[in-house]
Amino acid sequence: MELVPPSEQFKASFLDAVREAQATGSGLGDTLSFDVTDIERDFPAFLTHLRRFEPGHTLPEGFVHSEYLWLVDGDTYLGRASIRHTLNARLREFGGHIGYEVRPGARRQGHATRILAGSLRRARELGIEAALVTCDADNTGSRRTIEKNGGVLEGQFVVPDHPKPILRFWVPTPN
């Protein structure tokens, strides 16, 4: 298993994962709102869309440079990470440096822990010494994942425009 940049090689498995998340109603907001037909029709455009916040691109106001990495096993897409290179005021409150998601059929197999561990290594390469990682207060699986990776709880917070309280953790990045 490895974390890799999104690629055409994983198209079929990625689309299956999106369909799976949408069928179960279990996934991050953007995954649940993806238009599978449009993505399937023009996957290269979708990949370009994912890369729109990488360094070298002009950012819309309120956004920071970031990158996606996909956890794959062979040609099978298992999950993803979003690594934000810096934080703005909104990300300091909710979202943090790293977000991650595991496809529903691959959960409870340690993949989230792998994704976060690999993302923390990448964050260190970017000069981030401690990454802010958040999760919903009732998401015990994500909380355990963050704690397994050395996360130290800052506290529980109510965030405007988010329906649930969140937990904020600071996680040291490995040397």
Side-chain angles (χ1 to χ4, degrees), residues 78-165:
L78 298 169
R80 67 180 172 136
S82 175
I83 304 169
R84 293 117 193 167
H85 296 195
T86 58
L87 297 177
N88 58 22
R90 175 69 176 159
L91 290 170
R92 275 188 207 89
E93 187 173 47
F94 176 71
H97 288 100
I98 300 169
Y100 54 88
E101 174 181 41
V102 176
R103 69 185 296 170
R107 293 184 183 153
R108 299 181 186 267
Q109 299 173 34
H111 299 314
T113 301
R114 285 183 195 89
I115 291 170
L116 183 54
S119 298
L120 290 165
R121 287 190 294 277
R122 176 63 182 133
R124 173 56 87 167
E125 292 170 1
L126 295 167
I128 300 166
E129 293 182 17
L132 177 62
V133 183
T134 69
C135 68
D136 287 343
D138 64 356
N139 188 338
T140 56
S142 195
R143 180 180 185 153
R144 279 194 291 258
T145 293
I146 297 165
E147 290 172 343
K148 283 180 191 174
N149 278 282
V152 176
L153 181 64
E154 178 184 24
Q156 180 172 311
F157 302 87
V158 175
V159 177
D161 301 323
H162 190 72
K164 300 177 180 182

Side-chain angles (χ1 to χ4, degrees), residues 14 23 28 39 43 46 48 60 81 101 121 135 167:
F14 174 79
L28 297 178
I39 294 171
F43 201 72
F46 175 71
T48 298
E101 174 181 41
R121 287 190 294 277
C135 68
L167 302 176

Side-chain angles (χ1 to χ4, degrees), residues 3-6 67-71 79-83 115 118-119 122:
L3 277 174
V4 298
E67 61 191 71
Y68 281 102
L69 294 174
W70 288 358
L71 180 68
R80 67 180 172 136
S82 175
I83 304 169
I115 291 170
S119 298
R122 176 63 182 133

